[in-house]
Amino acid sequence: MNPLHRIDQWMRAHPVRTDVLVSVLLFGVLGLTPWVMLGSLAGPTPGSIVASILIALALIAPWAFRRVRPVASAAAVAAAAVAHLVLGPEFSLALVLVPMTVYNLAANAPRWASFTGLVAALLGGVANGIRVGLFPDPVMRPDGVYEPVDPSLEALLVMVFGCAAVVLTAWAFGDVVRHRRLTVRALEDRNRRLETMALQERRLAASDERNHIAREMHDIVAHSLQVIISQADGARYAAAAKPELAVATLDTIGLTGRAALADMRQLLGVLRETGETVAGVPGVALDDGAPGPAAGAADEGAAGAGASGAGTNPGAGRTRLPADVASRDGRGARQPPGHRPQPTLADVPALIETMRLSGLEVSLLETGAPRRPLPPGGELAAYRIVQEALTNTLRHGGPQASAFLTLAWTGRGLDVQADDDGRGADADPGTRGSGHGLRGVAERVALFGGTVETGPRAGAGYRVSAHLPYSAV
């Protein structure tokens, strides 16, 4: 490493020690050397020489603590300068500490101390000019005799303006250093605040993403598994009496399971992209020539638009789905990787049909017409509200429960209301959930500035009511 760089690092790490060493060096150069070099020319008496050295020491010593106590250091220098003005010689190299102290006040002291030091130094320059110009010390002739000097206005003006120029220059440099330090400190504080804000934003984003994943996982798992459980129970009872009904029920179970699996793969693919995707499902290849059974059941996470029958290719080790899985209309149009169509209100009838196949009687009433579109994702939120309400009825309402769904377009937005005549608040504790679904519904609705109300109905049953406002124009 460069020796100068090491010295600079040591000085930055030990500022007080550096100032002490500088003070010792300044005293040796400015306080002692001139008197040693001048010898008998230094002053009329040895006492005056000693007094000048002591005054020089008083001027230089406060520099040792000028960073830790800038105001106290300046006060000590001011007192020593007054003593020099009264008792010392006209000229002394140690007086250079006055502009140095003005610089230090401007750079490191409070603002009031900076201006006070500037004014005091200017007044000191005027006083010193008066002394030098109007009350000059006698000068020694070659024969050793001291001769008085006549007062000089020119000497007064030169001293006053010279001292003022030096003091103002020192104060200006110190003020520049002060502003630069404050600017750097402000930038450092701003960077720290930005880093803190970025960390908070990352934490909030991670929390929001966790909530989003939890909602999607609940929508996929809770709905699909409830449909599968209901169909499996029905198939077990129908196997003996109506084998053909059991086969149809098993087909519905297979379709629902495959749709849920595709949605799970899509959700995991968002978290970790691995290879080419088709219809947003990682690891799924499109088989345009493999026909499958028509989709009669709506997959809960993919809008309930339907999933086709699927087979596996043992050689490739990848699931193959027919082309209609890759598009909402079933025409085989490929969707961009990672973007499978999300469910909308148009998929609600398919969802209701799936619920009816699972044994839940559902009636649908639609009134009004939309005046403006819902916000982006608003129809997905409405679909999830319907899905959650019907799934809860199927799970908690009891075997004889039925649901009544109303979609009403008003002047303010879409009102979604799902009522059932099931057990309501008296649901079986064995089937009671953790409330994640309704909490997810409330979070979805809140994102669009809507409202949601849930609770038991008067008499019997349960109600889920939500309002989604139109998008702002």
Side-chain angles (χ1 to χ4, degrees):
M1 182 183 294
N2 191 337
L4 295 178
H5 185 60
R6 291 183 178 178
I7 294 174
D8 179 69
Q9 284 186 332
W10 185 89
M11 293 175 64
R12 291 177 181 273
H14 307 88
V16 177
R17 295 181 184 180
T18 301
D19 290 338
V20 171
L21 293 177
V22 171
S23 299
V24 173
L25 181 62
L26 288 175
F27 179 69
V29 174
L30 303 178
L32 296 178
T33 303
W35 306 111
V36 173
M37 295 179 63
L38 289 176
S40 61
L41 300 177
T45 62
S48 63
I49 297 176
V50 173
S52 298
I53 293 176
L54 293 178
I55 292 175
L57 177 62
L59 285 168
I60 296 172
W63 191 258
F65 55 92
R66 56 106 180 181
R67 299 197 210 199
V68 293
R69 295 289 188 272
V71 177
S73 173
V77 171
V82 172
H84 179 276
L85 184 65
V86 176
L87 304 174
E90 289 182 350
F91 302 100
S92 173
L93 293 179
L95 286 175
V96 74
L97 266 297
V98 173
M100 290 174 62
T101 301
V102 171
Y103 165 87
N104 183 61
L105 286 175
N108 300 316
R111 203 64 172 163
W112 65 268
S114 172
F115 286 110
T116 301
L118 174 62
V119 173
L122 292 175
L123 293 177
V126 173
N128 194 45
I130 293 174
R131 178 193 174 185
V132 173
L134 301 183
F135 306 97
D137 291 340
V139 296
M140 186 175 63
R141 296 184 312 189
D143 57 1
V145 178
Y146 283 88
E147 180 181 5
V149 179
D150 295 332
S152 173
L153 181 61
E154 291 80 3
L156 184 150
L157 295 177
V158 170
M159 183 59 65
V160 169
F161 285 104
C163 291
V166 173
V167 167
L168 288 173
T169 301
W171 185 87
F173 276 108
D175 196 58
V176 170
V177 171
R178 172 193 181 88
H179 281 289
R180 181 179 180 275
R181 186 179 67 253
L182 294 178
T183 301
V184 171
R185 187 178 302 169
L187 291 175
E188 291 175 350
D189 292 341
R190 180 175 180 270
N191 288 337
R192 282 193 293 268
R193 289 196 301 269
L194 290 176
E195 291 175 358
T196 302
M197 292 174 59
L199 179 61
Q200 292 176 348
E201 290 177 356
R202 287 195 296 269
R203 289 176 177 174
L204 291 175
S207 177
D208 182 70
E209 188 63 23
R210 285 194 297 269
N211 292 335
H212 171 73
I213 294 173
R215 289 195 300 266
E216 295 298 327
M217 289 288 292
H218 177 274
D219 291 339
I220 294 171
V221 174
H223 169 74
S224 301
L225 289 183
Q226 185 59 47
V227 171
I228 290 174
I229 291 172
S230 299
Q231 293 288 335
D233 290 342
R236 184 173 65 251
Y237 291 115
K242 296 182 179 180
E244 67 280 3
L245 182 59
V247 172
T249 303
L250 292 176
D251 286 341
T252 302
I253 293 174
L255 292 173
T256 304
R258 281 189 290 271
L261 178 61
D263 286 335
M264 288 290 293
R265 286 175 173 172
Q266 179 181 3
L267 181 60
L268 296 177
V270 172
L271 302 178
R272 182 181 60 188
E273 292 292 341
T274 54
E276 182 182 0
T277 60
V278 175
V281 184
V284 178
L286 187 67
D287 188 0
D288 294 328
D299 79 284
E300 172 278 345
S308 302
T312 57
N313 186 341
R318 300 175 64 187
T319 304
R320 293 188 172 270
L321 298 180
D324 59 347
V325 175
S327 64
R328 179 175 300 281
D329 53 15
R331 292 177 294 181
R334 290 176 180 264
Q335 298 294 330
H339 292 80
R340 189 179 182 186
Q342 293 290 339
T344 64
L345 291 175
D347 300 303
V348 170
L351 174 64
I352 292 176
E353 184 62 28
T354 301
M355 290 297 178
R356 288 171 178 167
L357 291 175
S358 301
L360 177 65
E361 289 296 327
V362 183
S363 60
L364 172 64
L365 175 63
E366 298 184 65
T367 61
R371 298 184 180 182
R372 293 198 305 271
L374 290 175
E379 291 199 12
L380 172 63
Y383 178 90
R384 296 301 190 194
I385 295 170
V386 174
Q387 184 183 66
E388 178 64 23
L390 297 182
T391 302
N392 287 343
T393 301
L394 182 63
R395 182 180 181 184
H396 308 298
Q400 304 299 323
S402 58
F404 313 94
L405 178 62
T406 302
L407 301 178
W409 294 96
T410 65
R412 298 185 300 112
L414 174 64
D415 291 333
V416 180
Q417 182 171 302
D419 297 326
D420 66 57
D421 55 2
R423 297 168 179 169
D426 298 327
D428 184 1
T431 64
R432 186 171 299 162
S434 60
H436 290 304
L438 293 179
R439 187 158 51 248
V441 166
E443 291 173 355
R444 288 181 184 274
V445 174
L447 290 176
F448 301 99
T451 58
V452 61
E453 295 180 1
T454 61
R457 296 173 60 199
Y462 203 83
R463 169 172 292 177
V464 176
S465 178
H467 170 74
L468 293 171
Y470 292 120
S471 59
V473 179

